[in-house]
Amino acid sequence: MSFADLGLIPELLNAVADAGYTEPTPIQRQAIPIVIAGHDVMGGAQTGTGKTAGFTLPLLQRLARHANTSTSPARHQTRALILAPTRELAMQVYESVKTYSRHLPLRATCIYGGVDMNAQIQELRRGIEIVIATPGRLLDHVQQKTINLTQVEMLVLDEADRMLDMGFIPDIRRILSLLPANRQSLLFSATFSEEIKKLADQMLKNPQMVEVARRNMVSETITHVVHPVSSGMKRNLLAHLLRHQPDTQALVFVDTKLVCGRLAHFLERHGISADSIHGDKSQQQRTETLEAFKAGKLRVLVATDVAARGLDIDELPYVINFELPHTAEDYVHRIGRTGRAGHKGNAVSLVCAEEKHWLSEIEKLIKLQIPQEVVPGFEPEPEFFEAGKGGRGRRSAADRTDRVEKTEGARERAPRATQPAAGGKRPPRPTIAPDGFDFSKPYEPATPVPVVDTTTSIAARPDEPPRRGQRPVAFLLGGLGRK
DNA sequence: AAAAAAT
């Protein structure tokens, strides 16, 4: 089975060949002929299955039927609209459209927030057939009458479930009301809740179902592992793991924007090139950081769930859950950034006692018992191994205090600097960082990692998180505040 | 539970 067998026109076949693809993926085999035939599609595909090309190629072919000919009623009008939930995702679809449309006289542009509107307006004035957009900025253009959607022939809703989660429903409905009723619509979603079905009912006419096997929710080329660890030692363990895999890149997920930035700083201070990406960063920073990571200029990208879905990073070997996601579905999306297109991938999760509950939810969903490996020197709280304990529901203030003490205890037990032999060379002091990191540990990465002078850089940083001894107070206050 | 998205 080749792309030619799917009925694609030569211009598209050439573009596919230019991009180096030879064989269509299952979702492409299913979707391409259906879309070319003009049907609406309800697609149940995970990302990383070739979904984007699966709708981009036939969409271009439909538009190419009368591309910019003088007889075309919609010459240089917006004829296709693709909506995506995040800016990065929109950009990625745009790249795909650009790649496959290179031999066709069709123009595409990407419309999203966080950047200057004027450049987008100029671009739209040129006459653009294919617009890839996030909903908010698109509506902004609609309001300013800088885009006309009355000639749209094709609509794609990508990652529809995510759009729902993000509260985009009103925006989507609004956009739908602006489009001609006589159009072809494609809806892609990883899950099918009642709400998605409702949306599909309103949006699609006699849709054909396209679905890749449900059981392959999680790529089989991914190796999963859980490292039980106390919450206080997580970042040290992360640095430890990264130092033992010196040549690999890793995408590290955290739950909050605050932790995101701090963790990236922590890794940088420990000589591991890292940066962070989250929604509070400027769009320019987000774009640049992602580019740097994709280009291999950055070893570690610390991210919130802004990067959890759909992002395609070539041959990314490691996804690390620094914090376990609180829904099992998020786990599937996060680790879906690795093990793509048949490559091998590793999904590593650092799990403390409080997170055990989420772990069992995840294992239920992916129908897989994830092996647990305690890394020596980074043992978890004892309660991690106690059946039924850990993380279910809210914790009382007393519990929280207890947890802090346990965490501090774990730090006390962390390996101490070895005493220098009398008369021997003294290592620089202190060798134990305030956060408990032990610099004297005999790390021997295969290739040396650049060493930063952590003793001075830590002392010099005014924006450090609170030192030991202050933290329990904050925890206590938080606990009391709950009542 | 937090994050994402128009300003």
Side-chain angles (χ1 to χ4, degrees):
Chain A
M1 168 73 84
S2 72
F3 282 99
D5 300 327
L6 296 173
L8 291 173
I9 55 178
E11 290 90 336
L12 290 171
L13 291 175
N14 287 337
V16 169
D18 293 346
Y21 295 109
T22 52
E23 207 179 314
T25 66
I27 184 87
Q28 290 162 1
R29 276 196 291 260
Q30 288 182 61
I32 290 174
I34 295 175
V35 179
I36 289 178
H39 295 291
D40 280 10
V41 166
M42 173 91 153
Q46 292 295 133
T47 50
T49 53
K51 180 188 62 177
T52 307
F55 66 75
T56 299
L57 287 167
L59 177 140
L60 289 168
Q61 179 143 337
R62 295 282 295 173
L63 298 183
R65 287 176 309 168
H66 46 253
N68 292 341
T69 60
S70 51
T71 56
S72 164
R75 184 184 159 86
H76 292 327
Q77 299 266 13
T78 301
R79 298 171 54 201
L81 178 63
I82 305 174
L83 296 174
T86 68
R87 298 164 183 173
E88 280 75 12
L89 222 44
M91 203 58 194
Q92 199 169 280
V93 174
Y94 170 65
E95 297 292 342
S96 171
V97 169
K98 261 199 331 199
T99 300
Y100 297 123
S101 66
R102 53 182 298 193
H103 300 303
L104 290 169
L106 294 167
R107 296 177 185 165
T109 194
C110 196
I111 298 287
Y112 53 72
V115 294
D116 182 46
M117 256 188 108
N118 287 317
Q120 295 176 354
I121 292 170
Q122 293 306 317
E123 188 69 9
L124 286 168
R125 278 212 190 115
R126 289 179 54 226
I128 300 289
E129 282 85 4
I130 305 153
V131 170
I132 301 100
T134 50
R137 179 56 70 89
L138 181 74
L139 284 173
D140 207 349
H141 280 282
V142 167
Q143 238 162 16
Q144 301 206 26
K145 302 204 191 308
T146 46
I147 190 167
N148 173 8
L149 299 177
T150 61
Q151 302 300 315
V152 169
E153 303 159 34
M154 299 190 72
L155 169 72
V156 181
L157 208 58
D158 199 7
E159 305 270 343
D161 49 349
R162 180 78 194 280
M163 298 242 212
L164 258 62
D165 289 350
M166 289 166 65
F168 274 146
I169 282 255
D171 285 357
I172 299 290
R173 288 197 203 290
R174 179 89 200 287
I175 292 166
L176 287 177
S177 74
L178 298 166
L179 304 178
N182 179 24
R183 55 157 204 271
Q184 187 180 5
S185 308
L186 320 178
L187 182 150
F188 290 92
S189 181
T191 56
F192 292 104
S193 62
E194 280 310 307
E195 274 215 287
I196 290 280
K197 285 179 193 153
K198 237 171 78 185
L199 184 67
D201 276 347
Q202 293 175 336
M203 189 181 135
L204 308 174
K205 277 184 263 176
N206 302 321
Q208 310 274 306
M209 292 292 295
V210 168
E211 201 165 0
V212 288
R214 290 264 93 188
R215 55 173 58 246
N216 291 346
M217 241 181 122
V218 173
S219 166
E220 278 155 21
T221 58
I222 297 177
T223 308
H224 303 252
V225 66
V226 159
H227 293 309
V229 61
S230 71
S231 53
M233 287 297 281
K234 271 192 178 185
R235 40 194 218 157
N236 302 342
L237 174 56
L238 178 65
H240 173 89
L241 294 172
L242 290 169
R243 281 161 185 255
H244 279 77
Q245 296 285 346
D247 295 323
T248 63
Q249 275 191 305
L251 177 58
V252 178
F253 281 105
V254 297
D255 281 345
T256 65
K257 291 181 275 201
L258 186 70
V259 172
C260 192
R262 282 188 183 171
L263 187 60
H265 275 132
F266 173 83
L267 294 174
E268 282 273 298
R269 291 203 308 275
H270 291 78
I272 296 162
S273 111
D275 209 337
S276 60
I277 183 168
H278 57 71
D280 277 357
K281 294 223 158 183
S282 77
Q283 191 51 42
Q284 191 188 333
Q285 279 179 313
R286 279 166 61 168
T287 307
E288 283 172 5
T289 304
L290 189 60
E291 284 307 308
F293 188 63
K294 284 186 173 181
K297 290 174 192 156
L298 196 61
R299 239 197 98 194
V300 178
L301 181 61
V302 187
T304 60
D305 280 326
V306 67
R309 302 206 188 195
L311 281 195
D312 195 10
I313 298 147
D314 272 355
E315 298 181 44
L316 177 68
Y318 276 89
V319 165
I320 301 177
N321 288 307
F322 184 79
E323 291 162 315
L324 216 53
H326 294 200
T327 71
E329 252 168 38
D330 287 343
Y331 180 86
V332 173
H333 288 297
R334 286 181 179 187
I335 63 146
R337 302 313 103 220
T338 187
R340 295 165 76 80
H343 292 291
K344 285 193 176 159
N346 295 279
V348 181
S349 299
L350 312 189
V351 182
C352 62
E354 287 95 339
E355 296 170 304
K356 256 172 65 183
H357 171 63
W358 307 120
L359 185 59
S360 49
E361 293 286 308
I362 289 163
E363 291 180 326
K364 230 184 284 169
L365 181 70
I366 66 173
K367 300 186 173 64
L368 198 77
Q369 186 98 31
I370 305 177
Q372 301 186 357
E373 287 174 19
V374 175
V375 179
F378 299 93
E379 288 76 11
E381 301 94 334
E383 65 216 277
F384 184 94
F385 299 107
E386 288 168 34
K389 266 220 178 182
R392 201 174 290 268
R394 232 170 280 117
R395 296 175 69 92
S396 70
D399 275 349
R400 296 171 72 85
T401 318
D402 178 53
R403 190 178 71 83
V404 169
E405 280 166 9
K406 288 239 161 63
T407 306
E408 293 303 313
R411 279 197 192 131
E412 296 300 347
R413 288 192 302 275
R416 288 280 161 191
T418 45
Q419 286 301 313
K425 285 179 291 183
R426 291 180 68 88
R429 274 189 293 172
T431 53
I432 304 269
D435 54 41
F437 190 86
D438 185 355
F439 295 109
S440 72
K441 261 195 144 189
Y443 286 118
E444 277 161 15
T447 56
V449 281
V451 176
V452 290
D453 186 347
T454 35
T455 45
T456 56
S457 70
I458 283 180
R461 288 192 70 87
D463 56 342
E464 271 297 279
R467 296 278 187 254
R468 256 185 75 191
Q470 293 171 329
R471 212 178 306 220
V473 176
F475 270 105
L476 260 177
L477 288 173
L480 292 171
R482 270 177 170 289
K483 285 215 153 175

